[in-house]
Amino acid sequence: MEIKDIQPQLYKQFSTILQHGKLSHAYLFSGGFGSFELAIWLSQALFCENPENALPCGHCRSCRLVAQQEFTDLHIVEPDGQTIKTAQIRELTQVFNESGYEGNQQVLLIKEAEKMHPNAANALLKSIEEPETEIVVFLLTDNENMILQTIKSRTQIINFPKNVQYLQDFLEKNGILKTQAELLAEICNSTDKALELAQQSWFNEGLQRLQQFVKLLKTSADEAFLYLKELVEIFDDKEKQNQAFELLLQLFNQERMSQELLKTFQAIKMWKSNVRFESSLTFLVL
């Protein structure tokens, strides 16, 4: 997957930025579709041994190591469990007081940046505000609203719209049925997540049951109510239940069931307020 195919407009925008030498020292990439790929591509540009019009060649030793996430001066941080801990950031800020191993340039790439502990975010601020060495920071998030305002105000925020058609085409090329690819393209923010779901037996079984549930809602509320146990059985944890609601929204939209679509939004609010999954689904039937 190449960034110019995933996010063609952002590829063009950042190509121009690189060619004019105007890359900022800190970015917040908001929206997961292609953000990691762009950050890696920009890192390649910074470390490339044989740049072509300021763009990475993609073939030199540095470009290959960056693509493999094994380049010494590329530091990638992701959550340790549910959070990015303060110690993870402080350890790196000490590294940034020194020049890189390969040269002066270093890159810090933080995945799921919204999961930074507030103390970790504050520890990062100094490196962003007063970098003592040549460092570029990429913060990646699917939830910009959970990023501290002090961090946001010190970064350039770039939004990553989802390229639904690209994702659907990618899934179909990887053997996913068209109808399933359409749904996955709507509910997933990355090719990796979409493929992962498509390969899960529970997901495929769950999708079939949701499609049956939607059919029953159109013909018999009583039968739909009795069928709820089939859904509760397979969507048995929070993550799966979230996927169920996302799929229901798409299925109701496809069937132009506007009343059920609106009720699903209300059911999601109930579920997020700790109403049981089964009770939230019951609201759709009543």
Side-chain angles (χ1 to χ4, degrees):
M1 298 179 296
E2 295 190 16
I3 188 61
K4 63 182 177 182
D5 298 321
I6 303 173
Q7 290 286 2
Q9 291 301 318
L10 288 176
Y11 171 80
K12 183 178 179 181
Q13 176 184 338
F14 275 93
S15 293
T16 302
I17 289 171
L18 288 171
Q19 288 160 357
H20 287 85
K22 298 294 185 182
L23 194 68
S24 179
H25 72 287
Y27 288 95
L28 175 63
F29 286 173
S30 178
F33 200 78
S35 60
F36 181 75
E37 288 82 358
L38 181 60
I40 289 293
W41 181 75
L42 290 171
S43 300
Q44 287 178 313
L46 291 169
F47 296 123
C48 184
E49 298 161 25
N50 304 302
E52 301 167 1
N53 195 21
L55 306 184
C57 70
H59 308 296
C60 68
R61 169 184 167 273
S62 296
C63 281
R64 294 197 309 271
L65 288 174
V66 169
Q68 295 163 9
Q69 303 172 42
E70 294 177 355
F71 192 73
T72 310
D73 293 325
L74 170 64
H75 308 278
I76 299 178
V77 176
E78 50 191 325
D80 179 5
Q82 294 300 310
T83 61
I84 295 174
K85 297 178 171 57
T86 307
Q88 290 176 267
I89 301 300
R90 284 185 175 157
E91 182 179 339
L92 281 174
T93 55
Q94 292 175 2
V95 173
F96 296 146
N97 291 331
E98 306 169 358
S99 295
Y101 288 98
E102 303 272 349
N104 293 327
Q105 186 70 61
Q106 296 187 77
V107 170
L108 171 60
L109 195 165
I110 300 181
K111 300 169 74 172
E112 298 182 74
E114 74 278 2
K115 294 184 179 179
M116 273 194 295
H117 187 279
N119 290 340
N122 288 326
L124 180 64
L125 274 176
K126 186 176 180 182
S127 291
I128 293 178
E129 290 179 321
E130 303 171 10
E132 297 185 18
T133 56
E134 293 183 37
I135 175 175
V136 176
V137 178
F138 298 111
L139 303 173
L140 278 52
T141 182
D142 284 341
N143 195 338
E144 181 187 328
N145 294 327
M146 292 182 66
I147 301 292
L148 288 180
Q149 186 59 40
T150 49
I151 292 285
K152 291 168 68 172
S153 65
R154 290 162 175 80
T155 61
Q156 286 197 27
I157 301 175
I158 306 295
N159 293 308
F160 282 71
K162 184 163 67 172
N163 189 335
V164 175
Q165 190 59 56
Y166 172 87
L167 182 50
Q168 183 179 330
D169 292 343
F170 173 85
L171 291 169
E172 289 185 46
K173 287 176 183 176
N174 280 271
I176 308 303
L177 294 174
K178 181 179 176 64
T179 53
Q180 190 172 344
E182 288 176 351
L183 288 168
L184 285 166
E186 291 291 346
I187 69 171
C188 295
N189 285 324
S190 72
T191 53
D192 288 345
K193 181 63 176 177
L195 278 178
E196 179 188 340
L197 278 178
Q199 293 164 359
Q200 298 288 329
S201 58
W202 72 263
F203 178 81
N204 294 302
E205 176 65 21
L207 175 57
Q208 291 176 14
R209 294 189 190 186
L210 287 171
Q211 290 169 328
Q212 178 64 19
F213 175 66
V214 171
K215 287 181 182 178
L216 292 174
L217 272 178
K218 296 173 73 173
T219 57
S220 171
D222 289 341
E223 288 188 42
F225 178 77
L226 293 174
Y227 194 74
L228 288 180
K229 67 178 185 301
E230 301 289 337
L231 301 182
V232 174
E233 178 183 70
I234 196 161
F235 296 103
D236 56 4
D237 63 36
K238 281 287 186 181
E239 184 176 350
K240 292 178 182 179
Q241 291 164 10
N242 184 62
Q243 297 293 349
F245 281 124
E246 292 285 346
L247 286 168
L248 279 173
L249 288 172
Q250 297 305 320
L251 291 170
F252 287 142
N253 187 52
Q254 287 179 355
E255 296 293 328
R256 292 180 168 79
M257 297 169 69
S258 56
Q259 183 178 353
E260 287 77 8
L261 192 65
L262 291 173
K263 291 179 75 174
T264 303
F265 284 115
Q266 184 61 40
I268 292 171
K269 287 183 180 179
M270 294 166 60
W271 175 72
K272 287 184 176 180
S273 299
N274 293 321
V275 174
R276 289 190 309 124
F277 180 60
E278 184 174 6
S279 300
S280 301
L281 289 176
T282 299
F283 173 77
L284 290 177
V285 181
L286 296 177

